[in-house]
Amino acid sequence: MYEVVCRGPEGRSSVTVTYPFSAVVGLDDLKLALILNAVSPRVGGVLVRGEKGTAKSTVVRALAAQLPAIEVVYGCRFSCDPAAPDPACPDGPHGAEAPGRTRPASLVELPVGASEDRLAGSLDLEKALTDGVKAFEPGLLAAAHRGVLYVDEVNLLHDHLVDLLLDAAALGTCYVEREAVSVRHAARFLLVGTMNPEEGELRPQLLDRFGLTVEVRASREPAERAEVVRRRLAFEDDPATFAERWTAQEAELAGRIGEARERVSRVVLPDARLLQIAEVCAAFDVDGLRADLVTANAAVAHAAWHGRTEVTAEDVRAAARLALPHRRRRDPFDAPGLDESRLDDLLGQDDPDPDPDPDPGPGGGSDPGSDPGQGPAQPDPPGETAADPPPAGTPGPDATSPDAEGPDSGEPGAGATQSRTAAPGEPYRVPVLSVPGLGEGAAGRRSRARTPHGRTIGSRVPRGRVRRLHLTATLRAAAPYQARRGRSGPGMRIRGTDLREPIAEGREGNLVLFVVDASGSMAARSRMRAVKTAVLSLLLDAYQRRDKIGLVTFRGAGAELALPPTSSVEVGAARLRLLPTGGRTPLAAGLVKAAETLRVERLRDPDRRPLLVVVTDGRATSGGAADVPRAAGLLAGTAAVVVDCESGMVRLGLACDLAARLGARLVPLDSLSAGGGLDGLVRDHRRAG
Ligand SMILES: [Zn+2]
């Protein structure tokens, strides 16, 4: 599905025709961000956030084709520049007279499921240890050097790949080390990632690595949509002919980019503008100084792109719009986006620039991500029954609101209205809930698992190629044979059969499926608030442990998969906030829905072990109480926790019965917020049959 695309004389896929950049309709922010990167590599890459099917990938590939060709040392697999070859190049050293050749900058795609070896390259340990030869097979980081590294669905990238990527991006070097053998080579590339925020957010460190972000969304303008489709169809019909029609525009664009690249080193950033950048960054409360640097670099590139040699307020505005939205985030529940009217206010102050004319692009005033209030989009209007999340709401003053509780007030239980939608309170730290046994799922921080990255607990004869070496075990295996192998001096004689690899144990992420009772028996306002707060806390915990999460709710006539398994905590939190409560309690339907969801997910992601978290008081008032045992039977073998929400003087202990049927641990709701160890709090539930 994914393949490295190396265009150019030696690339096998040089026949591939790329969609012309100039033919892309709309997506002005994305195009601008990519162009600024093409003009100045110091801008530092782009993260493209947006819904599926917005041609994000097409635009990125189109831009790569517009990057200027590069000169490389002939035969060097690491794309050394003949003018300044990498002194550490594994294919080097290249002499001053090394022959060079010109080829297009490469666009390398990093598949989400790539192995570490594929990304960083692999070292043949056996050869290194037995023959003393450093045999290195370059990875994608080498292929991307001086080009573009493109990661589609970057938010789904495994943790260990993210770490490698962060290191390489920070140092401009790829460093591969296996025991005593190491190789390093230059790896500087333009990092471009795309992601659908519904499927999960990025780790903050990785987010920060992207110079700019853009939000893309398909046009809601029928005429524009039609034009997109028209061109797309024409392209698919006959790519070569379509591309040919755009040759002139493409050449002009390449020329403009080339000129801007020339100009960029001459662009002056006046002190007044630099101060303005600092003011804007400070006002938007960004972390560190990286935002200032990126904004300055992007403003310089923007000036160069517009043919200026001095940065203006317009350049600062354009740069800030792209460089800041992802840096002012504070909390995984905050929505991204930048308050543009605030940006205008900030730039409007003591602005000596007479040119207030902003870019006429469609992204100008209609950005859906901009929220009018300055605060994070995390208000909890407790009286809200509307199905719409707050960002689209009104900027109107809250003082006149009839709602007794102010937004975002952390006070629980102060409800004044008869709303059926309780808002959760402040999340707290919950005890670790984990799946028993030893898994083999994706890296994470929840349950014990066999992983290549954890703590070494033993060694074994390698299965297949040796990637990591257990040195002590290897030496121990080789020791008895030294005399027979003719060793007479220092230095062990090691053969391939001596090699041992470590067995490591670490942590995996799980699928945490919440099954939340939203029925009338739970709907007492203060209780529902406590339940939502607990689930929100568990969600936050799942985010930190790199889990996938899902949400099944049941009330009234049946159960609903309110959130299909995803890595996006934001979406989970939003669904939870708006979750209405009331009605009868179809507990069995909730369990059946959970079983269905897990079955589908097992097919999709078989290594990810599920953890079921049932949040209920155990009452079943519809669907027949007899259905519960049958439904629970469908979940046999699934690790489960029942959060007991029963409260009050008279307790029926129904949640306890349910826990017994599911073979689940029972956790009283209150004990979740108590923090600390859980074991002492788990009641014995093995009394029911
Ligand atoms: Zn080289």
Side-chain angles (χ1 to χ4, degrees), residues 27 98 100 117 142 192 291 306 335 350 388-389 494 505 554 621 628 653 666 677 685 687:
L27 303 176
D117 283 357
V192 179
H306 283 273
D350 55 70
D388 261 332
I494 292 177
E505 192 188 300
F554 58 94
T621 61
V628 172
L666 183 72
H685 56 254
R687 62 183 179 84

Side-chain angles (χ1 to χ4, degrees), residues 335-687:
L338 198 66
D339 178 354
E340 294 205 20
S341 56
R342 182 134 186 265
L343 180 62
D344 285 337
D345 286 349
L346 287 162
L347 291 174
Q349 287 166 8
D350 55 70
D351 175 16
D353 200 88
D355 176 24
D357 182 33
D359 272 352
S366 61
D367 188 349
S370 63
D371 54 325
Q374 60 122 329
Q378 199 205 352
D380 300 336
E384 205 76 273
T385 47
D388 261 332
T394 57
D398 284 312
T400 55
S401 163
D403 198 327
E405 292 173 55
D408 222 350
S409 82
E411 284 301 307
T417 57
Q418 292 299 313
S419 165
R420 305 299 276 172
T421 306
E426 278 295 302
Y428 45 78
R429 259 190 73 188
V430 295
V432 189
L433 305 171
S434 61
V435 179
L438 199 58
E440 296 201 332
R445 307 198 179 92
R446 187 173 296 277
S447 306
R448 284 176 57 211
R450 283 253 149 84
T451 74
H453 305 279
R455 189 170 50 90
T456 302
I457 55 162
S459 67
R460 68 178 169 207
V461 174
R463 306 173 188 162
R465 184 127 171 234
V466 194
R467 293 162 196 283
R468 282 162 190 276
L469 195 71
H470 193 299
L471 197 57
T472 326
T474 302
L475 293 177
R476 210 183 294 127
Y481 306 104
Q482 295 304 299
R484 207 183 302 166
R485 289 176 192 169
R487 174 180 157 192
S488 52
M492 293 282 281
R493 298 211 162 175
I494 292 177
R495 302 231 170 116
T497 49
D498 301 330
L499 301 184
R500 296 293 181 270
E501 67 181 12
I503 301 173
E505 192 188 300
R507 298 262 163 194
E508 63 177 3
N510 297 108
L511 165 62
V512 182
L513 183 63
F514 295 94
V515 182
V516 178
D517 185 343
S519 68
S521 73
M522 301 275 294
R525 176 140 175 155
S526 61
R527 183 136 59 115
M528 204 56 214
R529 186 177 172 91
V531 167
K532 282 192 175 183
T533 308
V535 176
L536 191 65
S537 306
L538 288 163
L539 277 176
L540 182 59
D541 180 64
Y543 168 82
Q544 284 158 349
R545 297 185 188 281
R546 315 286 293 162
D547 295 316
K548 255 181 162 178
I549 50 162
L551 178 63
V552 169
T553 61
F554 58 94
R555 72 181 197 108
E560 183 198 2
L561 180 58
L563 179 70
T566 166
S567 304
S568 175
V569 171
E570 285 89 343
V571 178
R575 301 276 152 91
L576 183 70
R577 279 207 177 87
L578 301 170
L579 177 68
T581 49
R584 299 170 69 80
T585 315
L587 174 58
L591 298 176
V592 169
K593 180 60 86 181
E596 270 170 23
T597 308
L598 292 181
R599 191 178 54 79
V600 171
E601 207 54 27
R602 204 166 288 137
L603 296 173
R604 239 180 235 158
D605 195 355
D607 288 340
R608 192 176 282 273
R609 296 187 300 157
L611 175 66
L612 193 68
V613 178
V614 187
V615 183
T616 180
D617 56 9
R619 223 179 269 254
T621 61
S622 85
D627 289 346
V628 172
R630 202 165 351 124
L634 298 173
L635 291 159
T638 304
V641 173
V642 173
V643 177
D644 185 358
C645 301
E646 185 170 40
S647 62
M649 301 294 286
V650 183
R651 301 201 182 192
L652 301 172
L654 293 169
C656 192
D657 295 347
L658 178 65
R661 289 193 192 289
L662 291 170
R665 306 171 75 179
L666 183 72
V667 183
L669 180 62
D670 310 333
S671 72
L672 274 183
S673 58
L678 194 61
D679 291 332
L681 297 163
V682 178
R683 282 191 241 146
D684 183 38
H685 56 254
R686 304 197 184 277
R687 62 183 179 84

Side-chain angles (χ1 to χ4, degrees), residues 182-203:
S182 68
V183 164
R184 66 168 68 211
H185 63 81
R188 286 184 303 276
F189 45 83
L190 174 60
L191 184 60
V192 179
T194 65
M195 60 177 279
N196 178 359
E198 292 243 322
E199 292 170 342
E201 277 302 333
L202 279 189
R203 269 160 71 187

Side-chain angles (χ1 to χ4, degrees), residues 147-227:
V148 179
L149 184 67
Y150 175 50
V151 195
D152 198 11
E153 302 188 296
V154 64
N155 50 333
L156 305 184
L157 206 59
H158 288 199
D159 261 8
H160 60 279
L161 293 185
V162 170
D163 291 338
L164 274 172
L165 205 57
L166 287 173
D167 287 348
L171 303 170
T173 304
C174 172
Y175 186 52
V176 183
E177 189 176 47
R178 294 279 188 276
E179 322 315 322
V181 192
S182 68
V183 164
R184 66 168 68 211
H185 63 81
R188 286 184 303 276
F189 45 83
L190 174 60
L191 184 60
V192 179
T194 65
M195 60 177 279
N196 178 359
E198 292 243 322
E199 292 170 342
E201 277 302 333
L202 279 189
R203 269 160 71 187
Q205 303 96 305
L206 183 55
L207 198 60
D208 191 49
R209 274 291 144 208
F210 288 97
L212 311 178
T213 43
V214 284
E215 301 270 340
V216 295
R217 137 182 223 270
S219 170
R220 284 352 185 207
E221 195 62 48
E224 193 173 311
R225 292 173 76 100
E227 185 56 26

Side-chain angles (χ1 to χ4, degrees), residues 248-269:
Q249 287 92 328
E250 291 290 275
E252 195 205 322
L253 176 68
R256 259 191 89 185
I257 292 176
E259 282 166 26
R261 272 174 97 101
E262 292 260 301
R263 196 178 296 118
V264 77
S265 60
R266 288 181 280 121
V267 173
V268 179
L269 177 64

